[in-house]
Every structure is written in structure tokens, then in C-alpha cells.
Amino acid sequence: MTTVEKERTVAASVTAPAPRNRARGAAAGLALLVLAALPLVLAAYPISTLTRILAFAVLVLSVDLLTGVCGLPTLGQAAYFGVGAYTAALVGIHVTSDAAVQLLAAVGAGLLAAAATGWVAIRAKGSSS
């Protein structure tokens, strides 16, 4: 097979989504719809538990993406997760019990911590491993 034929084969496979990818997309969409509808049918405790599960799933996916796919050592994503959690707790105790304000404060604190340490991490040379 010549280089041109290989390029045409690759281009054809990229432009036409496989049926398996469509099925995965449909399954993901259905899962999102089910998750969005759960607060309508479940009590507070199961919703709280599912929220925690989803938050930890996002944390695990970030570590998997960085380490497994990119092959880079983790830089402590849990630290930013912890900064946000502590900020939300402190805002909830000392400022307000409004969940939206706690969430915004947690995201803002995690963002600031990530920006401060990320600037140094991106400019660092070499690897620690």
C-alpha cells in the first residue's frame, strides 16, 4: 500500500464516524438524562451520595487522563480538590449556607490555587521520576 492510499484510508476513517462511536454517544446521552432525572425521584441522601461519587469520578478521570493517556506524573490534582472542599466548608460555616455561593467559592479557590502552582509547574524543566 502506497503512502497516498494510506492517507486516503486514514482520512476516510476519520470523516465517517463508526457505528460503535454513535452507540457510545447515545449511551452517554442516555446516562446524562438518567442522572439529570434522578433528583426528581430520589431522596436527599442518595442524591448526596451520587454527587460525591460523581465528584470523585471527575478527580479519578483527571488522574487517569494525565497519567494513563499522557504519560505524565500527576501534580497533585487532589490538592486543588481539597482546597475547594475546605473553602466550601469554611464558607458554609462562617459566611452562608447557600450551596451556590459555596460552590462558586470552592471553584474560585481551586482555580486560584491551580493558577498559582500551575504557572510554576509548566515552566519547570525535567521530571521528578
Side-chain angles (χ1 to χ4, degrees), residues 60-118:
V60 167
L61 286 173
S62 69
V63 172
D64 179 53
L65 176 66
L66 186 64
T67 306
V69 177
C70 297
L72 298 171
T74 61
L75 300 174
Q77 291 89 343
Y80 311 125
F81 191 78
V83 167
Y86 275 109
T87 302
L90 291 173
V91 167
I93 291 170
H94 298 293
V95 179
T96 182
S97 62
D98 186 17
V101 174
Q102 293 174 13
L103 178 64
L104 288 174
V107 169
L111 180 70
L112 287 174
T117 58

Side-chain angles (χ1 to χ4, degrees), residues 30-50:
L30 182 63
L32 285 175
L33 284 174
V34 169
L35 287 173
L38 282 178
L40 301 173
V41 295
L42 292 179
Y45 180 72
I47 293 300
S48 172
T49 303
L50 285 173

Side-chain angles (χ1 to χ4, degrees), residues 1-10:
M1 186 179 281
T2 66
T3 306
V4 174
E5 290 173 340
K6 288 180 184 178
E7 290 176 2
R8 287 182 186 160
T9 304
V10 170

